[in-house]
Amino acid sequence: MTGPDQAATDDDAAELIAQLRELAGADPADVRQVVAEVLAALDRAAGGALRDHLPEAIRLDAGLGPGRAGAPLTGLDALTGAFPRS
């Protein structure tokens, strides 16, 4: 796809990358925290499905725990990486 929608998406991605690089210059730990929070929010919005598509190291770094389709983390569990109790 090379239409106007793709160009807008590419521009948005480039802007996000530039913002993350600017943050990284200040404090890489802060960037990791921001990225972890964004990934956790995206995973919650996707009902826990995003974690199944992320490499294990990134899942763990974002506090998402191992991939478990159908068992999304919620509330404080999403922040701590704990699994929902059955």
Side-chain angles (χ1 to χ4, degrees):
M1 185 164 146
T2 58
D5 291 339
Q6 182 63 41
T9 300
D10 290 347
D11 290 345
D12 290 344
E15 181 180 340
L16 178 59
I17 290 168
Q19 290 174 355
L20 289 172
R21 284 186 175 149
E22 184 178 321
L23 282 172
D27 187 355
D30 287 345
V31 174
R32 290 177 73 93
Q33 181 63 34
V34 169
V35 170
E37 290 172 10
V38 168
L39 289 174
L42 290 171
D43 185 61
R44 285 192 303 275
L50 176 63
R51 74 189 71 187
D52 293 331
H53 302 282
L54 296 173
E56 181 180 11
I58 293 174
R59 280 196 315 267
L60 296 176
D61 200 40
L64 297 175
R68 290 178 36 158
L73 301 179
T74 58
L76 290 177
D77 289 338
L79 298 175
T80 63
F83 289 106
R85 291 175 180 80
S86 303

